[in-house]
Amino acid sequence: MRTAVALAVSLSLCWLGATGHSLPRLRLSYRELSGSNRSVLFFGHRGFLGFRSLYLDEYRDRLFIGGKDVLYSLLLDGASADAKEIYWPPLPGQTEECFRKGKDPGTDCANYVRVLHPYNRTHLLACGTGAFHPVCTFVYVGPRGEHTFSLDPASVETGRGRCPHEPSRAFASTVIGGELYAGLTADFLGRDPGVFRSLGTRSALRTEVDQRLLHDPKFVAAHLIPDNDDRDNDKAYFFFTEKVVDADSKEHAIVSRVGRVCVNDAGGQRVLVNKWSTFNKAQLVCSVPGPGGIDTYFDELEDVFLLRTKDGKNPEIYALFSTVSHVFQGSAVCVYRVADIREVFNGPFAHRESPHHQWGAYEGKVPYPRPGVCPSKTTNQPRRQYGTTKDFPDEVLHFARAHPLMYRPVYPRHRRPLLVKTDLPHRLRQIVVDRVEAEDGQHDVLFLGTDAGSVLKVVVLQKTSSAMTEEVILEELQVFKVPVPITQMEISVKRQTLYVGSSLGVAQVRLHRCESYGSACAECCLARDPYCAWDGTACTHYQPSGKRRHRRQDAHHGNPAHQCLDQNLTGEDGRSDPADGARAALPQAAPARHRHLLLQNPGARLHPDRGQDGPGGDPW
Ligand SMILES: *[C@@H]1O[C@H](CO)[C@@H](O)[C@H](O)[C@H]1NC(C)=O
Ligand SMILES: *[C@@H]1O[C@H](CO)[C@@H](O)[C@H](O)[C@H]1NC(C)=O
Ligand SMILES: *[C@@H]1O[C@H](CO)[C@@H](O)[C@H](O)[C@H]1NC(C)=O
């Protein structure tokens, strides 16, 4: 049965007509990255960071880092020697207590700073595990243009329900309007999961302890996504996985979820006091449709990236999944539209008579106001006005408590993944996306952090006249010397830089270094990197606003015979016939001079609309 799953995957990939190759065009080692200044690493002042959190502050041009017993502030344009440090160990006595309670003094009983968010104009909110005794504080970072960084020990307060106890257990949080929204397990034993709201002036809220709401969840991301211009409709979205128990087999399975709450939720008055009254959740599906209706599911959500568009209410949601199957290791990226998520939350609620029954759509009358709808001017009916969730009828709160799950799942755009990888040696952990403007249109460039200290840079090319895509792994960047999992990535499009964190440290990596592809037009063109173009003399960063006259770029087809006819093709035997060069000289000449440029599958040889490559070729 397990083999059938693997078979279904390979079959369905053929069926999808996806073309892509798991060999990167360029593989850059740790030494090459640091030697060329493409990557600059920060390991803290003592050489070991125990990195846990990162906040990229593009307004102040600073990078804030949280590690083991330590916080750093780096100037984005400064040297790492100028970094300011705050030493923040556990409170007195906590290390000993942690040790007494049976935790490992070397790895557990320290203050790992896991929460780092902008709080207001002058302060950041920072929370740490505090040797299994979570603590929070405000850190003064000063106004823009001033490199101040200080912590007032007197402002340290409890971090319970705000920060996990454990140094590495998954959780997610975000600050909205001076309040912290966090999805985590909030007790020493790790048995009290919930979505919590705290800080600010309102009373704290949380989810009830009920497996119908959250069953052994692993939180991945939390984001504010407004519904419309009425702030009263603002919602906080949580992305997580949880366990489900199959009614027939009693087997546990993992499913991925999107859940949400109203920012103006105040809990109930008699029912659900200080508990969320607007919490709903829905399944996030990421599967490859197979022949005969056998779909392959990627169940385990690993990371979520919100690609903010001009329309702040409709960011595109890129979600990275992996499979929990023991047969093969697979990862997939699915893209969700917020409109589709809203539609599912506006659709039927899931209902079942008892845990032994199957789920169905709730067909009875749903009380008013509909659970999950925020009290606001835009949602109120005339003559039935609700200013706060505390005024909601008990009937509504009882219904909300019994029906947290929506019946329909959320499907990705085009009902299938944007990208599927089943043959990578590493598991993919983190995703960041840049929408790049190139000569032949817009392309999504995905940066995928692995569990082996590397980052894959992948371009996904939309094929004209169909929903089909082709992906090209442009580069494999070995950011860390040893194979540690990448735990966080942030991108600065303004600075064309990626910030990559693992337990060891943080790397600043330039998104592109076009010279690496070689010094000839054909090499530049074959690279198919939308960041790069041949400018007549060299392979350089393509800027859409720049002079276009000499730009040669073709990310779609990467056909140098077409792009470089009148250009210096090979870079070495410059006087050879350009047309011959395109056909003959390239495959031999290029790799010889640039041993990392892997041309096994040059795009030039691929017909753009063909579903597979050469005879006997692996579809990947
Ligand atoms: C990298 O940066 C260092 C320090 O700024 C500089 O001395 C060195 O020349 C640079 N190396 C390259 C290859 O650009
Ligand atoms: C920011 O928040 C901190 C902590 O509550 C407070 O002490 C500080 O005055 C606030 N700053 C501003 C500018 O509101
Ligand atoms: C082609 O490029 C190579 C290396 O950059 C250079 O030596 C050669 O003179 C160039 N030829 C032409 C025709 O520009």
PDB file of all heavy atoms in Angstrom, residues 52 98 103 107-114 128-134 163-171 184-192:
ATOM      1  N   ARG A  52      17.471  31.831  17.940  1.00  0.00           N
ATOM      2  CA  ARG A  52      16.072  31.428  18.008  1.00  0.00           C
ATOM      3  C   ARG A  52      15.115  32.389  17.305  1.00  0.00           C
ATOM      4  O   ARG A  52      14.064  31.990  16.836  1.00  0.00           O
ATOM      5  CB  ARG A  52      15.615  31.288  19.472  1.00  0.00           C
ATOM      6  CG  ARG A  52      16.177  30.063  20.190  1.00  0.00           C
ATOM      7  CD  ARG A  52      15.731  28.782  19.519  1.00  0.00           C
ATOM      8  NE  ARG A  52      16.178  27.557  20.178  1.00  0.00           N
ATOM      9  CZ  ARG A  52      17.389  27.048  20.136  1.00  0.00           C
ATOM     10  NH1 ARG A  52      18.347  27.668  19.464  1.00  0.00           N
ATOM     11  NH2 ARG A  52      17.678  25.918  20.747  1.00  0.00           N
ATOM     12  N   CYS A  98      15.026  24.555  37.131  1.00  0.00           N
ATOM     13  CA  CYS A  98      14.886  23.843  35.860  1.00  0.00           C
ATOM     14  C   CYS A  98      15.635  22.513  35.930  1.00  0.00           C
ATOM     15  O   CYS A  98      15.131  21.461  35.551  1.00  0.00           O
ATOM     16  CB  CYS A  98      15.449  24.740  34.754  1.00  0.00           C
ATOM     17  SG  CYS A  98      15.542  24.020  33.121  1.00  0.00           S
ATOM     18  N   LYS A 103      15.240  18.807  33.834  1.00  0.00           N
ATOM     19  CA  LYS A 103      15.611  19.250  32.486  1.00  0.00           C
ATOM     20  C   LYS A 103      17.131  19.271  32.358  1.00  0.00           C
ATOM     21  O   LYS A 103      17.847  19.344  33.354  1.00  0.00           O
ATOM     22  CB  LYS A 103      15.038  20.642  32.220  1.00  0.00           C
ATOM     23  CG  LYS A 103      13.516  20.701  32.273  1.00  0.00           C
ATOM     24  CD  LYS A 103      12.893  19.928  31.125  1.00  0.00           C
ATOM     25  CE  LYS A 103      11.385  19.873  31.259  1.00  0.00           C
ATOM     26  NZ  LYS A 103      10.780  18.964  30.262  1.00  0.00           N
ATOM     27  N   THR A 107      21.218  22.175  27.727  1.00  0.00           N
ATOM     28  CA  THR A 107      20.439  22.578  26.560  1.00  0.00           C
ATOM     29  C   THR A 107      19.111  23.256  26.913  1.00  0.00           C
ATOM     30  O   THR A 107      18.659  24.126  26.183  1.00  0.00           O
ATOM     31  CB  THR A 107      20.121  21.351  25.678  1.00  0.00           C
ATOM     32  OG1 THR A 107      19.464  20.380  26.494  1.00  0.00           O
ATOM     33  CG2 THR A 107      21.375  20.749  25.090  1.00  0.00           C
ATOM     34  N   ASP A 108      18.475  22.870  28.023  1.00  0.00           N
ATOM     35  CA  ASP A 108      17.137  23.390  28.311  1.00  0.00           C
ATOM     36  C   ASP A 108      17.131  24.593  29.252  1.00  0.00           C
ATOM     37  O   ASP A 108      16.287  25.472  29.136  1.00  0.00           O
ATOM     38  CB  ASP A 108      16.268  22.304  28.980  1.00  0.00           C
ATOM     39  CG  ASP A 108      16.006  21.134  28.044  1.00  0.00           C
ATOM     40  OD1 ASP A 108      16.000  21.366  26.819  1.00  0.00           O
ATOM     41  OD2 ASP A 108      15.817  20.015  28.544  1.00  0.00           O
ATOM     42  N   CYS A 109      18.046  24.568  30.227  1.00  0.00           N
ATOM     43  CA  CYS A 109      17.948  25.516  31.333  1.00  0.00           C
ATOM     44  C   CYS A 109      18.668  26.822  31.060  1.00  0.00           C
ATOM     45  O   CYS A 109      19.570  27.242  31.792  1.00  0.00           O
ATOM     46  CB  CYS A 109      18.437  24.867  32.619  1.00  0.00           C
ATOM     47  SG  CYS A 109      17.461  23.401  33.031  1.00  0.00           S
ATOM     48  N   ALA A 110      18.278  27.456  29.966  1.00  0.00           N
ATOM     49  CA  ALA A 110      18.823  28.774  29.634  1.00  0.00           C
ATOM     50  C   ALA A 110      17.645  29.613  29.157  1.00  0.00           C
ATOM     51  O   ALA A 110      16.531  29.108  29.032  1.00  0.00           O
ATOM     52  CB  ALA A 110      19.875  28.651  28.536  1.00  0.00           C
ATOM     53  N   ASN A 111      17.899  30.900  28.900  1.00  0.00           N
ATOM     54  CA  ASN A 111      16.830  31.767  28.403  1.00  0.00           C
ATOM     55  C   ASN A 111      16.965  31.926  26.889  1.00  0.00           C
ATOM     56  O   ASN A 111      17.719  32.779  26.406  1.00  0.00           O
ATOM     57  CB  ASN A 111      16.890  33.122  29.097  1.00  0.00           C
ATOM     58  CG  ASN A 111      15.738  34.025  28.675  1.00  0.00           C
ATOM     59  OD1 ASN A 111      14.652  33.544  28.361  1.00  0.00           O
ATOM     60  ND2 ASN A 111      15.980  35.324  28.647  1.00  0.00           N
ATOM     61  N   TYR A 112      16.248  31.096  26.160  1.00  0.00           N
ATOM     62  CA  TYR A 112      16.276  31.206  24.702  1.00  0.00           C
ATOM     63  C   TYR A 112      15.256  32.248  24.273  1.00  0.00           C
ATOM     64  O   TYR A 112      14.053  32.080  24.527  1.00  0.00           O
ATOM     65  CB  TYR A 112      15.942  29.859  24.061  1.00  0.00           C
ATOM     66  CG  TYR A 112      17.017  28.826  24.269  1.00  0.00           C
ATOM     67  CD1 TYR A 112      16.983  27.979  25.371  1.00  0.00           C
ATOM     68  CD2 TYR A 112      18.069  28.713  23.365  1.00  0.00           C
ATOM     69  CE1 TYR A 112      17.979  27.032  25.572  1.00  0.00           C
ATOM     70  CE2 TYR A 112      19.060  27.763  23.556  1.00  0.00           C
ATOM     71  CZ  TYR A 112      19.013  26.928  24.659  1.00  0.00           C
ATOM     72  OH  TYR A 112      20.004  25.997  24.850  1.00  0.00           O
ATOM     73  N   VAL A 113      15.714  33.313  23.641  1.00  0.00           N
ATOM     74  CA  VAL A 113      14.820  34.403  23.240  1.00  0.00           C
ATOM     75  C   VAL A 113      14.083  33.986  21.966  1.00  0.00           C
ATOM     76  O   VAL A 113      14.674  33.885  20.893  1.00  0.00           O
ATOM     77  CB  VAL A 113      15.602  35.711  23.018  1.00  0.00           C
ATOM     78  CG1 VAL A 113      14.649  36.823  22.611  1.00  0.00           C
ATOM     79  CG2 VAL A 113      16.367  36.079  24.285  1.00  0.00           C
ATOM     80  N   ARG A 114      12.786  33.696  22.113  1.00  0.00           N
ATOM     81  CA  ARG A 114      12.028  33.134  20.998  1.00  0.00           C
ATOM     82  C   ARG A 114      11.019  34.099  20.413  1.00  0.00           C
ATOM     83  O   ARG A 114      10.504  33.878  19.316  1.00  0.00           O
ATOM     84  CB  ARG A 114      11.329  31.844  21.460  1.00  0.00           C
ATOM     85  CG  ARG A 114      12.324  30.821  22.013  1.00  0.00           C
ATOM     86  CD  ARG A 114      11.757  29.438  21.984  1.00  0.00           C
ATOM     87  NE  ARG A 114      11.471  29.024  20.624  1.00  0.00           N
ATOM     88  CZ  ARG A 114      10.770  27.952  20.297  1.00  0.00           C
ATOM     89  NH1 ARG A 114      10.278  27.180  21.245  1.00  0.00           N
ATOM     90  NH2 ARG A 114      10.543  27.649  19.035  1.00  0.00           N
ATOM     91  N   GLY A 128      11.515  35.151  26.354  1.00  0.00           N
ATOM     92  CA  GLY A 128      12.436  34.025  26.338  1.00  0.00           C
ATOM     93  C   GLY A 128      11.901  32.882  27.173  1.00  0.00           C
ATOM     94  O   GLY A 128      10.967  33.042  27.963  1.00  0.00           O
ATOM     95  N   THR A 129      12.515  31.710  26.998  1.00  0.00           N
ATOM     96  CA  THR A 129      12.046  30.512  27.697  1.00  0.00           C
ATOM     97  C   THR A 129      12.402  30.553  29.184  1.00  0.00           C
ATOM     98  O   THR A 129      11.809  29.812  29.977  1.00  0.00           O
ATOM     99  CB  THR A 129      12.655  29.253  27.078  1.00  0.00           C
ATOM    100  OG1 THR A 129      14.090  29.367  27.162  1.00  0.00           O
ATOM    101  CG2 THR A 129      12.254  29.094  25.622  1.00  0.00           C
ATOM    102  N   GLY A 130      13.372  31.389  29.591  1.00  0.00           N
ATOM    103  CA  GLY A 130      13.716  31.586  30.996  1.00  0.00           C
ATOM    104  C   GLY A 130      13.962  30.314  31.773  1.00  0.00           C
ATOM    105  O   GLY A 130      13.488  30.209  32.903  1.00  0.00           O
ATOM    106  N   ALA A 131      14.660  29.359  31.197  1.00  0.00           N
ATOM    107  CA  ALA A 131      14.910  28.057  31.843  1.00  0.00           C
ATOM    108  C   ALA A 131      13.591  27.402  32.260  1.00  0.00           C
ATOM    109  O   ALA A 131      13.359  27.091  33.428  1.00  0.00           O
ATOM    110  CB  ALA A 131      15.842  28.209  33.042  1.00  0.00           C
ATOM    111  N   PHE A 132      12.709  27.223  31.280  1.00  0.00           N
ATOM    112  CA  PHE A 132      11.377  26.624  31.492  1.00  0.00           C
ATOM    113  C   PHE A 132      10.500  27.449  32.426  1.00  0.00           C
ATOM    114  O   PHE A 132       9.621  26.928  33.105  1.00  0.00           O
ATOM    115  CB  PHE A 132      11.499  25.162  31.985  1.00  0.00           C
ATOM    116  CG  PHE A 132      11.522  24.191  30.843  1.00  0.00           C
ATOM    117  CD1 PHE A 132      12.659  24.030  30.072  1.00  0.00           C
ATOM    118  CD2 PHE A 132      10.396  23.458  30.509  1.00  0.00           C
ATOM    119  CE1 PHE A 132      12.685  23.158  28.996  1.00  0.00           C
ATOM    120  CE2 PHE A 132      10.408  22.579  29.430  1.00  0.00           C
ATOM    121  CZ  PHE A 132      11.558  22.434  28.681  1.00  0.00           C
ATOM    122  N   HIS A 133      10.754  28.769  32.415  1.00  0.00           N
ATOM    123  CA  HIS A 133       9.947  29.691  33.210  1.00  0.00           C
ATOM    124  C   HIS A 133       9.850  30.961  32.356  1.00  0.00           C
ATOM    125  O   HIS A 133      10.568  31.936  32.597  1.00  0.00           O
ATOM    126  CB  HIS A 133      10.673  29.962  34.543  1.00  0.00           C
ATOM    127  CG  HIS A 133       9.905  30.828  35.474  1.00  0.00           C
ATOM    128  ND1 HIS A 133       9.002  30.327  36.383  1.00  0.00           N
ATOM    129  CD2 HIS A 133       9.894  32.165  35.633  1.00  0.00           C
ATOM    130  CE1 HIS A 133       8.478  31.319  37.058  1.00  0.00           C
ATOM    131  NE2 HIS A 133       8.997  32.443  36.629  1.00  0.00           N
ATOM    132  N   PRO A 134       8.966  30.926  31.302  1.00  0.00           N
ATOM    133  CA  PRO A 134       8.987  31.985  30.284  1.00  0.00           C
ATOM    134  C   PRO A 134       8.850  33.398  30.856  1.00  0.00           C
ATOM    135  O   PRO A 134       8.094  33.613  31.800  1.00  0.00           O
ATOM    136  CB  PRO A 134       7.778  31.657  29.406  1.00  0.00           C
ATOM    137  CG  PRO A 134       7.425  30.255  29.681  1.00  0.00           C
ATOM    138  CD  PRO A 134       7.904  29.937  31.055  1.00  0.00           C
ATOM    139  N   CYS A 163       5.178  32.790  25.334  1.00  0.00           N
ATOM    140  CA  CYS A 163       6.415  32.194  24.835  1.00  0.00           C
ATOM    141  C   CYS A 163       6.440  30.757  25.325  1.00  0.00           C
ATOM    142  O   CYS A 163       6.023  30.485  26.453  1.00  0.00           O
ATOM    143  CB  CYS A 163       7.603  32.981  25.403  1.00  0.00           C
ATOM    144  SG  CYS A 163       9.217  32.346  24.937  1.00  0.00           S
ATOM    145  N   PRO A 164       6.927  29.817  24.515  1.00  0.00           N
ATOM    146  CA  PRO A 164       6.968  28.426  24.976  1.00  0.00           C
ATOM    147  C   PRO A 164       7.973  28.249  26.114  1.00  0.00           C
ATOM    148  O   PRO A 164       8.865  29.068  26.291  1.00  0.00           O
ATOM    149  CB  PRO A 164       7.424  27.648  23.738  1.00  0.00           C
ATOM    150  CG  PRO A 164       7.509  28.608  22.629  1.00  0.00           C
ATOM    151  CD  PRO A 164       7.463  29.986  23.164  1.00  0.00           C
ATOM    152  N   HIS A 165       7.820  27.175  26.861  1.00  0.00           N
ATOM    153  CA  HIS A 165       8.800  26.817  27.880  1.00  0.00           C
ATOM    154  C   HIS A 165      10.053  26.222  27.235  1.00  0.00           C
ATOM    155  O   HIS A 165      11.144  26.358  27.752  1.00  0.00           O
ATOM    156  CB  HIS A 165       8.218  25.766  28.828  1.00  0.00           C
ATOM    157  CG  HIS A 165       7.165  26.294  29.763  1.00  0.00           C
ATOM    158  ND1 HIS A 165       5.984  26.843  29.331  1.00  0.00           N
ATOM    159  CD2 HIS A 165       7.138  26.353  31.123  1.00  0.00           C
ATOM    160  CE1 HIS A 165       5.265  27.214  30.378  1.00  0.00           C
ATOM    161  NE2 HIS A 165       5.938  26.938  31.473  1.00  0.00           N
ATOM    162  N   GLU A 166       9.830  25.540  26.105  1.00  0.00           N
ATOM    163  CA  GLU A 166      10.892  24.743  25.501  1.00  0.00           C
ATOM    164  C   GLU A 166      11.731  25.574  24.529  1.00  0.00           C
ATOM    165  O   GLU A 166      11.209  26.459  23.853  1.00  0.00           O
ATOM    166  CB  GLU A 166      10.285  23.568  24.724  1.00  0.00           C
ATOM    167  CG  GLU A 166       9.380  22.671  25.534  1.00  0.00           C
ATOM    168  CD  GLU A 166       7.922  23.153  25.581  1.00  0.00           C
ATOM    169  OE1 GLU A 166       7.646  24.296  25.137  1.00  0.00           O
ATOM    170  OE2 GLU A 166       7.072  22.398  26.050  1.00  0.00           O
ATOM    171  N   PRO A 167      13.017  25.238  24.410  1.00  0.00           N
ATOM    172  CA  PRO A 167      13.889  25.976  23.486  1.00  0.00           C
ATOM    173  C   PRO A 167      13.513  25.781  22.019  1.00  0.00           C
ATOM    174  O   PRO A 167      13.775  26.645  21.200  1.00  0.00           O
ATOM    175  CB  PRO A 167      15.277  25.399  23.743  1.00  0.00           C
ATOM    176  CG  PRO A 167      15.196  24.701  25.059  1.00  0.00           C
ATOM    177  CD  PRO A 167      13.777  24.274  25.233  1.00  0.00           C
ATOM    178  N   SER A 168      12.879  24.642  21.666  1.00  0.00           N
ATOM    179  CA  SER A 168      12.687  24.373  20.238  1.00  0.00           C
ATOM    180  C   SER A 168      11.283  23.995  19.813  1.00  0.00           C
ATOM    181  O   SER A 168      11.037  23.827  18.629  1.00  0.00           O
ATOM    182  CB  SER A 168      13.635  23.263  19.784  1.00  0.00           C
ATOM    183  OG  SER A 168      14.956  23.647  20.004  1.00  0.00           O
ATOM    184  N   ARG A 169      10.337  23.842  20.718  1.00  0.00           N
ATOM    185  CA  ARG A 169       8.998  23.445  20.303  1.00  0.00           C
ATOM    186  C   ARG A 169       8.367  24.518  19.406  1.00  0.00           C
ATOM    187  O   ARG A 169       8.504  25.716  19.657  1.00  0.00           O
ATOM    188  CB  ARG A 169       8.107  23.242  21.524  1.00  0.00           C
ATOM    189  CG  ARG A 169       6.717  22.746  21.162  1.00  0.00           C
ATOM    190  CD  ARG A 169       5.804  22.831  22.355  1.00  0.00           C
ATOM    191  NE  ARG A 169       5.986  21.710  23.257  1.00  0.00           N
ATOM    192  CZ  ARG A 169       5.142  20.670  23.326  1.00  0.00           C
ATOM    193  NH1 ARG A 169       4.090  20.630  22.557  1.00  0.00           N
ATOM    194  NH2 ARG A 169       5.358  19.698  24.167  1.00  0.00           N
ATOM    195  N   ALA A 170       7.668  24.057  18.347  1.00  0.00           N
ATOM    196  CA  ALA A 170       7.082  24.984  17.374  1.00  0.00           C
ATOM    197  C   ALA A 170       6.043  25.877  18.043  1.00  0.00           C
ATOM    198  O   ALA A 170       5.299  25.447  18.915  1.00  0.00           O
ATOM    199  CB  ALA A 170       6.430  24.204  16.240  1.00  0.00           C
ATOM    200  N   PHE A 171       6.004  27.135  17.630  1.00  0.00           N
ATOM    201  CA  PHE A 171       4.964  28.063  18.081  1.00  0.00           C
ATOM    202  C   PHE A 171       4.922  29.223  17.102  1.00  0.00           C
ATOM    203  O   PHE A 171       5.790  29.349  16.236  1.00  0.00           O
ATOM    204  CB  PHE A 171       5.245  28.551  19.514  1.00  0.00           C
ATOM    205  CG  PHE A 171       6.133  29.757  19.574  1.00  0.00           C
ATOM    206  CD1 PHE A 171       5.636  30.990  19.958  1.00  0.00           C
ATOM    207  CD2 PHE A 171       7.459  29.669  19.202  1.00  0.00           C
ATOM    208  CE1 PHE A 171       6.454  32.110  19.981  1.00  0.00           C
ATOM    209  CE2 PHE A 171       8.282  30.783  19.232  1.00  0.00           C
ATOM    210  CZ  PHE A 171       7.784  32.000  19.621  1.00  0.00           C
ATOM    211  N   LEU A 184       0.565  28.363  21.047  1.00  0.00           N
ATOM    212  CA  LEU A 184       1.642  27.598  21.678  1.00  0.00           C
ATOM    213  C   LEU A 184       1.098  26.665  22.752  1.00  0.00           C
ATOM    214  O   LEU A 184      -0.087  26.729  23.094  1.00  0.00           O
ATOM    215  CB  LEU A 184       2.684  28.538  22.290  1.00  0.00           C
ATOM    216  CG  LEU A 184       2.209  29.670  23.217  1.00  0.00           C
ATOM    217  CD1 LEU A 184       2.041  29.204  24.646  1.00  0.00           C
ATOM    218  CD2 LEU A 184       3.219  30.790  23.184  1.00  0.00           C
ATOM    219  N   THR A 185       1.969  25.843  23.318  1.00  0.00           N
ATOM    220  CA  THR A 185       1.603  25.099  24.523  1.00  0.00           C
ATOM    221  C   THR A 185       2.178  25.874  25.692  1.00  0.00           C
ATOM    222  O   THR A 185       3.338  26.262  25.683  1.00  0.00           O
ATOM    223  CB  THR A 185       2.171  23.665  24.522  1.00  0.00           C
ATOM    224  OG1 THR A 185       3.506  23.727  24.081  1.00  0.00           O
ATOM    225  CG2 THR A 185       1.374  22.762  23.614  1.00  0.00           C
ATOM    226  N   ALA A 186       1.320  26.102  26.692  1.00  0.00           N
ATOM    227  CA  ALA A 186       1.640  27.117  27.685  1.00  0.00           C
ATOM    228  C   ALA A 186       2.023  26.582  29.054  1.00  0.00           C
ATOM    229  O   ALA A 186       2.045  27.333  30.016  1.00  0.00           O
ATOM    230  CB  ALA A 186       0.450  28.065  27.827  1.00  0.00           C
ATOM    231  N   ASP A 187       2.319  25.286  29.172  1.00  0.00           N
ATOM    232  CA  ASP A 187       2.676  24.779  30.492  1.00  0.00           C
ATOM    233  C   ASP A 187       3.983  24.000  30.451  1.00  0.00           C
ATOM    234  O   ASP A 187       4.511  23.695  29.381  1.00  0.00           O
ATOM    235  CB  ASP A 187       1.553  23.898  31.047  1.00  0.00           C
ATOM    236  CG  ASP A 187       1.344  22.668  30.180  1.00  0.00           C
ATOM    237  OD1 ASP A 187       1.620  22.754  28.960  1.00  0.00           O
ATOM    238  OD2 ASP A 187       0.920  21.624  30.697  1.00  0.00           O
ATOM    239  N   PHE A 188       4.474  23.700  31.616  1.00  0.00           N
ATOM    240  CA  PHE A 188       5.762  23.025  31.767  1.00  0.00           C
ATOM    241  C   PHE A 188       5.783  21.671  31.053  1.00  0.00           C
ATOM    242  O   PHE A 188       6.761  21.292  30.423  1.00  0.00           O
ATOM    243  CB  PHE A 188       6.042  22.838  33.266  1.00  0.00           C
ATOM    244  CG  PHE A 188       7.389  22.273  33.579  1.00  0.00           C
ATOM    245  CD1 PHE A 188       8.486  23.114  33.745  1.00  0.00           C
ATOM    246  CD2 PHE A 188       7.575  20.909  33.711  1.00  0.00           C
ATOM    247  CE1 PHE A 188       9.738  22.595  34.036  1.00  0.00           C
ATOM    248  CE2 PHE A 188       8.825  20.382  33.996  1.00  0.00           C
ATOM    249  CZ  PHE A 188       9.906  21.232  34.158  1.00  0.00           C
ATOM    250  N   LEU A 189       4.672  20.944  31.156  1.00  0.00           N
ATOM    251  CA  LEU A 189       4.628  19.601  30.585  1.00  0.00           C
ATOM    252  C   LEU A 189       4.275  19.591  29.098  1.00  0.00           C
ATOM    253  O   LEU A 189       4.307  18.546  28.458  1.00  0.00           O
ATOM    254  CB  LEU A 189       3.621  18.732  31.353  1.00  0.00           C
ATOM    255  CG  LEU A 189       3.986  18.449  32.807  1.00  0.00           C
ATOM    256  CD1 LEU A 189       2.847  17.741  33.513  1.00  0.00           C
ATOM    257  CD2 LEU A 189       5.265  17.615  32.892  1.00  0.00           C
ATOM    258  N   GLY A 190       3.915  20.740  28.567  1.00  0.00           N
ATOM    259  CA  GLY A 190       3.593  20.819  27.146  1.00  0.00           C
ATOM    260  C   GLY A 190       2.271  20.161  26.808  1.00  0.00           C
ATOM    261  O   GLY A 190       2.110  19.551  25.756  1.00  0.00           O
ATOM    262  N   ARG A 191       1.294  20.271  27.716  1.00  0.00           N
ATOM    263  CA  ARG A 191      -0.003  19.631  27.486  1.00  0.00           C
ATOM    264  C   ARG A 191      -1.143  20.621  27.383  1.00  0.00           C
ATOM    265  O   ARG A 191      -2.304  20.234  27.347  1.00  0.00           O
ATOM    266  CB  ARG A 191      -0.317  18.669  28.642  1.00  0.00           C
ATOM    267  CG  ARG A 191       0.588  17.459  28.644  1.00  0.00           C
ATOM    268  CD  ARG A 191       0.199  16.567  29.794  1.00  0.00           C
ATOM    269  NE  ARG A 191       1.173  15.497  29.958  1.00  0.00           N
ATOM    270  CZ  ARG A 191       1.343  14.833  31.086  1.00  0.00           C
ATOM    271  NH1 ARG A 191       0.609  15.126  32.144  1.00  0.00           N
ATOM    272  NH2 ARG A 191       2.245  13.877  31.165  1.00  0.00           N
ATOM    273  N   ASP A 192      -0.838  21.915  27.415  1.00  0.00           N
ATOM    274  CA  ASP A 192      -1.897  22.919  27.418  1.00  0.00           C
ATOM    275  C   ASP A 192      -1.789  23.824  26.193  1.00  0.00           C
ATOM    276  O   ASP A 192      -1.317  24.949  26.276  1.00  0.00           O
ATOM    277  CB  ASP A 192      -1.805  23.751  28.705  1.00  0.00           C
ATOM    278  CG  ASP A 192      -2.853  24.851  28.753  1.00  0.00           C
ATOM    279  OD1 ASP A 192      -3.893  24.710  28.073  1.00  0.00           O
ATOM    280  OD2 ASP A 192      -2.629  25.862  29.453  1.00  0.00           O
TER     281      ASP A 192
END
